[in-house]
Amino acid sequence: LGEYLKVLVNRDAWVFSLMYMVTFGGYIGLTTFLPTLFYSQYGIAKENVGQYAAVIIVMASVLRILGGAFADRIGGVRMLLVLCVVIVGVTVTAATIPESVLVMVGILIVCFSAMGAGNGAVFQLVPLRFRTTTAVASSLVGEMGGLAGAFLPSVMGVGKELAGSYAPGFISGAVLSATVLVVLLAVMRQWTTTWVGAGGRALLEDAGRVRQEGLV
């Protein structure tokens, strides 16, 4: 039990949690807020909102699977670095609140795709770091990501009320993503010289164990 509880105070577990707050928490938060955004900002009828939101949300689900597969090949750390840069860029762009709803849909598709791929990349790394306590670590990371889903809609609402725009909400997402990028840059050298290979790829012994146990 003591070994399991140590995960709760492990620095890396909380770094993963912070990453998942952006990728999964951001996905959940934006998903719940899309109907309000399209209705309030662009005047889309409530019965038609689903036509705009569906394709955006589906992209995140599809890219989650592909994100994990690509992370296995190129490394989760390397992939998360790229995805964080993409998320920062698209959320800042979304903060300009483009006049065209189709432009906003395109921006959000890229944003959701990056978040979905990020989800897969995070969970490519978690079992490599916590080999014997994967379930506990995964539960913690998943819980924190889910809780973070309430952050973005709240900031969106407050920003609209105080500033008359949804821009502050998108900027807050960009700031959080930039924070994750800085944290990842700070820990990646230590990670890639101890428990994971270059770029976040599994070490040779981990890859051999996976093949031996028939997990792929």
Side-chain angles (χ1 to χ4, degrees):
L1 179 61
E3 292 300 316
Y4 287 117
L5 292 177
K6 286 180 182 179
V7 175
L8 302 180
V9 293
N10 184 283
R11 181 204 65 179
D12 291 347
W14 289 98
V15 172
F16 288 133
S17 296
L18 181 61
M19 295 175 185
Y20 210 56
M21 288 178 185
V22 170
T23 60
F24 186 70
Y27 161 74
I28 292 294
L30 283 176
T31 296
T32 58
F33 199 76
L34 283 179
T36 300
L37 175 67
F38 287 134
Y39 173 74
S40 176
Q41 183 66 39
Y42 295 101
I44 304 299
K46 292 183 178 180
E47 60 269 22
N48 296 327
V49 164
Q51 299 175 14
Y52 292 86
V55 65
I56 300 172
I57 296 170
V58 167
M59 286 303 297
S61 300
V62 173
L63 265 293
R64 181 185 181 111
I65 301 170
L66 296 178
F70 280 119
D72 283 334
R73 294 180 178 275
I74 69 173
V77 174
R78 183 180 291 118
M79 190 163 179
L80 283 166
L81 286 173
V82 174
L83 293 174
C84 282
V85 172
V86 172
I87 294 172
V88 170
V90 293
T91 47
V92 169
T93 304
T96 64
I97 315 295
E99 294 184 5
S100 170
V101 65
L102 294 181
V103 172
M104 179 59 90
V105 168
I107 292 171
L108 291 176
I109 286 176
V110 176
C111 185
F112 271 67
S113 297
M115 289 178 176
N119 292 335
V122 169
F123 279 103
Q124 181 261 348
L125 292 170
V126 171
L128 298 178
R129 174 62 180 84
F130 299 98
R131 290 175 171 81
T132 60
T133 53
T134 301
V136 178
S138 298
S139 297
L140 172 64
V141 173
E143 178 71 15
M144 296 308 298
L147 291 175
F151 169 75
L152 200 55
S154 299
V155 178
M156 287 282 197
V158 172
K160 182 67 171 178
E161 183 177 349
L162 298 180
S165 172
Y166 293 122
F170 285 112
I171 292 297
S172 69
V175 170
L176 185 57
S177 301
T179 301
V180 170
L181 181 60
V182 171
V183 171
L184 187 55
L185 288 170
V187 301
M188 64 179 294
R189 180 174 177 80
Q190 188 267 330
W191 283 6
T192 55
T193 55
T194 53
W195 56 269
V196 75
R201 297 180 65 186
L203 297 172
L204 291 177
E205 55 266 32
D206 292 318
R209 176 183 59 83
V210 168
R211 286 194 297 268
Q212 184 177 6
E213 295 178 1
L215 299 180
V216 294

